[in-house]
Amino acid sequence: MTDKTPLTLIGLGPMGQAMVTRFLAAGHPTTVWNRTPARADAVVALGATRATTAAEAVAASRLVVLSLTDYAAMYDVLDGADLAGRVVVNLSSDTPDTTLKAAAWLAERGAELLVGGVMVPAPLVGDESAYVFYSGPREVFDRHAETLAVIGRADYMGEDHTLAQLLYQAQLDVFLTSLAAMLHGIALVKSAGVTAERYAPYLTDVLSSLSMYVDETARHVDSDRHPGDLANVTMMGATAAHVVGASETAGLDTALPRAVQALYDRATEAGHGKDSWTALINVIRG
């Protein structure tokens, strides 16, 4: 017998399988379902219980964890299931507005929603570096926090269902833009015959250095004070224009550097030329 909370996990892509593996290792009886049944084979071999339908999977546990592509998939999977009394932890990515509609849809069916955003790739689920944003009713989170901590540090952000989704998307905003910028930089040096491998140590250096700007940026933005004594908008904007020019000469796609240049141009037009580059927040806010 076990006193560990039983749960159901629906969606067995790499992330879902990683989570099931962690839950099982921690002693949680876990029921699984996936639209493609064969994806459950590996975790069933580890001790998970295979449900034949999504409704059967939901009926098996009061705690239902979703690891799906988006919230639209939730409706497809859960429609028709008896959701009364269930807590649905949706770890799928979508927009804040979509999340609110999902909370209302589940409430109409007697279920409560906890929104989650897993901030590590599948191989790091449950690792000490793993963390997950959550938002929704505090009592519901507290009831299941110990179980949810199995897949990563559970960071509760507040009652508003949109908060976890918003923070998740903010992190991906930085991550995806940085990945694109990394590839653009590599393409720029390769246009001159420099290999990506040779450039890699310098790329590592610049990406690592970004962390030193975070605390100062937060202070500037929260205080709405942007002293430009070290790096102002005019100076940084000129550099942004040079990146565009170099990209044009190299024959590269210029959409990304032009988007950055446009931020600086609009900040200058708004009178922020002598302010720190952090004043771009005013342009980004619209």
Side-chain angles (χ1 to χ4, degrees), residues 216 220 225-233 235 273-277:
E216 182 180 40
H220 285 195
R225 295 184 64 255
H226 304 278
D229 47 320
L230 293 178
N232 63 38
V233 167
M235 180 177 70
K274 294 183 179 180
D275 294 335
S276 166
W277 64 272

Side-chain angles (χ1 to χ4, degrees), residues 192-203:
V194 178
T195 65
E197 186 174 6
R198 183 181 178 191
Y199 176 53
Y202 304 103
L203 182 56

Side-chain angles (χ1 to χ4, degrees), residues 7 11 27 30 35 49 59 64 74 87 97 104 107 111 130 188-189 198 214 228 247 249 255 258 260 274:
L7 62 99
T30 305
R35 197 182 301 275
T49 300
V64 178
M74 180 195 77
V87 170
D97 286 350
L188 193 56
V189 299
R198 183 181 178 191
V214 173
S247 300
T249 300
R258 283 191 184 280
V260 175
K274 294 183 179 180

Side-chain angles (χ1 to χ4, degrees), residues 59-83:
S61 314
R62 292 290 178 180
L63 179 62
V64 178
V65 179
L66 304 182
S67 180
L68 303 169
T69 303
D70 53 27
Y71 271 55
M74 180 195 77
Y75 300 115
D76 292 340
V77 168
L78 297 186
D79 191 29
D82 181 6
L83 295 168

Side-chain angles (χ1 to χ4, degrees), residues 1-10 19-33 43-44 46-51 56-65 144 147 150:
M1 296 294 289
T2 178
D3 59 357
K4 294 295 184 75
T5 301
L7 62 99
T8 287
L9 195 142
I10 294 176
M19 290 191 286
V20 173
T21 300
R22 287 293 187 170
F23 284 129
L24 290 171
H28 292 276
T30 305
T31 299
V32 298
W33 182 84
V43 292
V44 168
L46 294 175
T49 300
R50 189 198 310 264
E56 179 185 322
V58 171
S61 314
R62 292 290 178 180
L63 179 62
V64 178
V65 179
H144 296 290
T147 300
V150 168

Side-chain angles (χ1 to χ4, degrees), residues 78-257:
L78 297 186
D79 191 29
D82 181 6
L83 295 168
R86 266 68 183 175
V87 170
V88 176
V89 182
N90 197 333
L91 302 177
S92 312
S93 174
D94 219 306
T95 64
D97 286 350
T98 301
T99 304
L100 279 180
K101 292 175 183 176
W105 186 84
L106 287 168
E108 289 172 359
R109 288 155 179 78
E112 296 180 283
L113 174 65
L114 270 183
V115 180
V118 184
M119 295 315 309
V120 291
L124 294 180
V125 166
D127 185 79
E128 62 180 14
S129 65
Y131 65 99
V132 185
F133 292 125
Y134 291 100
S135 58
R138 179 82 211 206
E139 183 275 329
V140 176
F141 171 78
D142 288 343
R143 197 189 325 154
H144 296 290
E146 185 176 351
T147 300
L148 296 173
V150 168
I151 60 173
R153 189 185 74 236
D155 285 2
Y156 180 72
M157 307 312 297
E159 296 266 346
D160 183 343
H161 283 101
T162 67
L163 289 171
Q165 194 70 258
L166 198 64
L167 282 153
Y168 176 76
Q169 301 302 346
Q171 292 290 77
L172 289 179
D173 184 5
V174 175
F175 182 66
L176 294 176
T177 305
S178 298
L179 291 183
M182 178 168 65
L183 291 173
H184 201 279
I186 289 172
L188 193 56
V189 299
K190 281 185 71 67
S191 72
V194 178
T195 65
E197 186 174 6
R198 183 181 178 191
Y199 176 53
Y202 304 103
L203 182 56
T204 299
D205 180 67
V206 72
L207 291 173
S208 298
S209 73
L210 290 176
S211 62
M212 67 183 281
Y213 297 99
V214 173
D215 289 344
E216 182 180 40
T217 299
R219 288 196 301 272
H220 285 195
V221 171
D222 284 344
S223 67
D224 198 25
R225 295 184 64 255
H226 304 278
D229 47 320
L230 293 178
N232 63 38
V233 167
T234 297
M235 180 177 70
M236 299 284 273
T239 300
H242 297 157
V243 174
V244 171
S247 300
E248 288 177 330
T249 300
L252 303 181
D253 186 289
T254 60
L256 182 60

